[in-house]
Amino acid sequence: MGWDQQDPAAGAGGGLRGEPTGADALRDGPAAEGARPGAPEGQRPARGGRRRLVGILGAVVLVLALVLVVPRVLTTEDGPDTAARAFLDALVAGDAAVLRQHLERPGDATDLALRDEILQAAENRVTSYAIEDVERDGEGARVTALLDDGHEQRPLTLTLHAVAGSSFAPVSWQLDRIAVPEMEVSLPFGTEQIIINGVLVTLEEEDVAKVTFHLPTVALQLLPGTYEITLPGAGPLLEAISSEITVPLYLGHSRSTATPVHYELSETGRAVAAGQLEDLLADCARATTARPEDCPFAAPSADDSWPRQPVRGTWALTAMPEVTTSAWQFGLWSVSGSGGAAEFTPAGSESESEQVPFAVEAFTQVLPDNTLRTDLVDPPGSFTVVVCSTPMDVGGTPQYVAVDPDSQLDCEDGR
């Protein structure tokens, strides 16, 4: 039979042998579903290709999901309380290296007191803690702990955020930066070192936060506890006066008012200052006029004298004033006394002696060669302070002052 002979079984509507009829073509052909009968062959959509594309994309999505999600699901994740415990353990141990990683960076405050030996020597510091609650909220978390210093307990809330390292690593929790109290300490001019809980600490110029009451002030970041702050020894004339600072059981933003740390005159220093004051009064007693210049006493007859014709005579100290000393500003110590008495005898055999009670006021300071210099204030209660060096000097040139406005002050040696 030839290839163009019709199949009797095909009937009138039959086609070529082996070719599907029109109805079969619509049912079983490549574009059977949705094909438009009679449409040109090139315009029929290739639905089989679309199905294959969708299948490929689905497989890719599945593979990506397996790669990205499964490793995190299968890997054990540490909860936010783990990171909180690491910080709290360091707080109890006084581990400054770990604590610094989580504390806020100081602005004008200094973290020079955050050292293991200083933190561990603090009294009333945190000795234990207990985790009270852990709350998660999406990528954030809050951990509430109860701090204990052996005397009281106070709650502390730490906030954390989730950090994803990579698709093959679990989500980790990181503490938000933690603020700590800042305690201000005012220091003498020229201070280069301080002692905190027995540890010698060197100051730098940038450690100075401001000047309070004419004195440089540092703001120390400190953790809960009690700290003793003092100054190094400064020779036999001075003794350091320490201050105790107690930071409450609290972590957060706060700043105290300035606590002074300074030197007082030692017993030897007070004796030297009193001796210099006696020498100054003895110089006044050697004057030959009723109103000695720059001295704390003057005879009543001096009021009747003409400036060009002062009343002449002699002086004698009949009672020395009782002297007390106390720290003042600008690195000065006030030396004052009352109950002094002097006698003035005018020149001439007919003149009677005059009894003159007096009080005395003076200031003393330590010079760069570690000697004292005492200056009288005349009249008492009225004086001018002359400042030599800049008020921000810390670790540099000490502060030199004079109470005599006519003094020529040399900043090189303080004289």
Side-chain angles (χ1 to χ4, degrees):
M1 295 178 66
W3 59 272
D4 57 351
Q5 184 176 356
Q6 294 183 350
D7 186 354
L16 297 177
R17 185 186 300 270
E19 293 182 0
T21 63
D24 293 336
L26 291 175
R27 184 179 64 250
D28 301 328
E33 295 184 7
R36 208 168 58 249
E41 184 178 350
Q43 295 181 4
R44 295 182 181 182
R47 293 213 169 180
R50 290 182 180 179
R51 286 177 176 175
R52 287 191 296 273
L53 179 59
V54 171
I56 293 172
L57 291 176
V60 170
V61 171
L62 179 60
V63 171
L64 289 175
L66 293 173
V67 170
L68 296 176
V69 176
V70 172
R72 291 185 182 175
V73 173
L74 296 179
T75 307
T76 302
E77 173 192 325
D78 290 331
D81 58 312
T82 302
R85 288 182 186 279
F87 172 79
L88 294 171
D89 287 343
L91 182 62
V92 171
D95 189 338
V98 174
L99 294 172
R100 286 173 184 263
Q101 297 175 10
H102 303 290
L103 300 182
E104 279 191 359
R105 301 288 187 264
D108 61 348
T110 175
D111 61 358
L112 59 84
L114 299 181
R115 304 184 182 189
D116 290 359
E117 56 270 36
I118 293 177
L119 298 178
Q120 294 167 8
E123 297 181 358
N124 305 317
R125 64 190 184 93
V126 178
T127 56
S128 63
Y129 69 90
I131 299 295
E132 297 282 291
D133 188 35
V134 179
E135 299 178 11
R136 293 195 191 187
D137 184 11
E139 295 185 352
R142 293 162 56 91
V143 175
T144 302
L146 192 65
L147 302 182
D148 191 333
D149 64 1
H151 304 283
E152 63 174 331
Q153 295 179 332
R154 287 191 181 181
L156 170 69
T157 298
L158 302 173
T159 59
L160 304 92
H161 58 276
V163 178
S166 68
S167 59
F168 293 94
V171 172
S172 62
W173 291 92
Q174 189 173 81
L175 284 166
D176 296 335
R177 289 289 176 178
I178 302 168
V180 296
E182 299 170 357
M183 314 302 285
E184 290 189 353
V185 179
S186 62
L187 305 168
F189 284 98
T191 300
E192 297 181 355
Q193 294 178 316
I194 60 175
I195 299 174
I196 307 175
N197 282 352
V199 179
L200 188 65
V201 177
T202 300
L203 299 175
E204 302 294 341
E205 187 71 27
E206 56 268 20
D207 292 325
V208 178
K210 60 182 180 179
V211 173
T212 304
F213 299 114
H214 311 292
L215 293 174
T217 300
V218 296
L220 300 174
Q221 282 190 312
L222 291 174
L223 296 171
T226 300
Y227 302 83
E228 183 183 46
I229 303 178
T230 189
L231 299 167
L237 299 176
L238 302 177
E239 60 182 16
I241 303 301
S242 61
S243 291
E244 191 175 84
I245 295 177
T246 297
V247 182
L249 199 58
Y250 162 80
L251 294 180
H253 290 284
S254 67
R255 178 173 284 198
S256 70
T257 56
T259 298
V261 177
H262 60 280
Y263 291 107
E264 288 281 9
L265 292 176
S266 65
E267 184 176 352
T268 299
R270 292 193 296 271
V272 171
Q276 291 181 349
L277 181 59
E278 291 181 5
D279 292 341
L280 292 172
L281 294 177
D283 289 340
C284 290
R286 284 190 282 271
T288 58
T289 60
R291 187 184 295 278
E293 185 177 2
D294 299 328
C295 291
F297 44 75
S301 58
D303 295 333
D304 301 328
S305 63
W306 291 94
R308 295 183 181 277
Q309 296 178 344
V311 176
R312 298 291 179 177
T314 57
W315 284 95
L317 292 173
T318 57
M320 294 296 296
E322 295 183 5
V323 175
T324 60
T325 61
S326 60
W328 201 69
Q329 302 174 14
F330 301 109
L332 292 171
W333 289 269
S334 172
V335 183
S336 58
S338 59
E343 182 182 72
F344 178 70
T345 303
S349 56
E350 298 180 357
S351 301
E352 295 183 358
S353 297
E354 301 176 60
Q355 302 298 317
V356 181
F358 69 91
V360 65
E361 186 173 351
F363 286 99
T364 189
Q365 61 183 302
V366 178
L367 299 177
D369 59 1
N370 291 323
T371 61
L372 289 181
R373 185 183 73 192
T374 303
D375 298 293
L376 283 170
V377 175
D378 179 53
S382 176
F383 58 92
T384 300
V385 175
V386 179
V387 179
C388 177
S389 60
T390 59
M392 287 295 289
D393 276 344
V394 169
T397 304
Q399 179 81 1
Y400 301 132
V401 296
V403 294
D404 181 0
D406 297 325
S407 296
Q408 299 297 317
L409 204 58
D410 184 353
C411 290
E412 292 299 324
D413 60 7
R415 296 182 182 277

